[in-house]
Amino acid sequence: MGNAGSSGSPSLPPPRPHLHGVPPLYYHQYPVGRPGAAAPPPVPFPTHVERHRAVAVSAGVNVKGHTLRLERDDDGGHLLAFSYDADAPGSITVYFFAQEGDDCILKGTKENLLKPVTVTFKEGHGQEFRQPSGTGIKLSMFEESELTKVGEDRVFPLAFKVEVGVSSNQESETEHDAEDTKSLVKFAVFVKKDSAEYGINIVQQILWVNGTRYVLQEIYGIGDRNRADRNVNEDDSGKECVVCLTEPRDTTVLPCRHMCLCRECAQTLRFQTNKCPMCRQPVESLLEIKVDSMPRHHQGGDQ
């Protein structure tokens, strides 16, 4: 027997209790209408939480994204530059108007004008890369649409590959065994700024490890959790669920990719709101990620 006035459909679970009895800002509420008024439409929410187990994979190199930039060359061209950390010696190869082939082989589609250039590096943190003078791109030679968009057949205006563990005397990509190297590839477009200068926007990242291709997607919040896990003496703040402030966060909101919820709160929250508690963007799905930790000497820098 149901309660009087019920429609026969199961009722939604009550909201999760909160400190001092005050619901958080993201809790979905409708204004109270007059008696007998039609009920508001239900809040759309993900029907389930996907669960995946992930393994931390070290790239062996950490390219610091906020340092990616173009620098002017003496001949009027633009050179790629950035800061990076490397756990082993290797090489950096820069391509313009590049396509990805099989087995992490990149090819420039305008090599008659812009040849790929490779620079080797040693192991060490806090290193600086600057493309050699005379090997840059003169942006004025190309249409803006060629520079700022991914072209047909997945031609990227800019790409660079960082290989770790490559001997300095290797000249061809096909001469080394993929089992002995790790390759981090970043594909980018140029972004025109107000000052008529151009910046760089990474649109895709690929990591090749032991012959396996990984497509990298940044998850906001997972880095804070991993740093705290690596040092148990650090303050644990920043890795807890933003709702209960107790359990470790392990669930990511999609498509905004904020890892900000624990499993239990994610189950409850999906019945209460369709907005991410961090950025308020609509929630399309929830992804629970269990990360298998690796020995400390296998872990690389934050990507």
Side-chain angles (χ1 to χ4, degrees), residues 3-15:
N3 294 331
S6 67
S7 61
S9 59
S11 60
L12 297 179

Side-chain angles (χ1 to χ4, degrees), residues 54 218-227 249 259 289 291:
E218 184 174 6
I219 295 179
Y220 306 108
I222 195 171
D224 295 335
R225 169 182 166 170
N226 288 340
R227 278 191 291 271
R249 59 181 73 171
M259 178 180 270
I289 301 176
V291 179

Side-chain angles (χ1 to χ4, degrees), residues 17 24-25 72 80 82 107 133 139 149 161 188 203 206 214 223 231 237 250 253 261 263 269 279 285-286 292 301:
L25 294 177
R72 283 277 189 176
L80 174 66
F82 55 83
K107 180 181 179 181
S133 180
L139 300 176
K149 298 179 181 179
K161 177 164 66 172
V203 295
I206 304 295
Y214 299 90
N231 189 346
S237 61
D250 61 7
V253 179
L261 301 169
R263 178 179 182 179
L269 186 68
C279 65
S285 60
L286 297 168
D292 293 334

Side-chain angles (χ1 to χ4, degrees), residues 12-35:
L12 297 179
R16 185 183 181 87
H18 301 279
L19 293 177
H20 312 299
V22 179
L25 294 177
Y26 54 80
Y27 181 69
H28 191 94
Q29 290 181 318
Y30 289 100
V32 178
R34 65 182 184 277

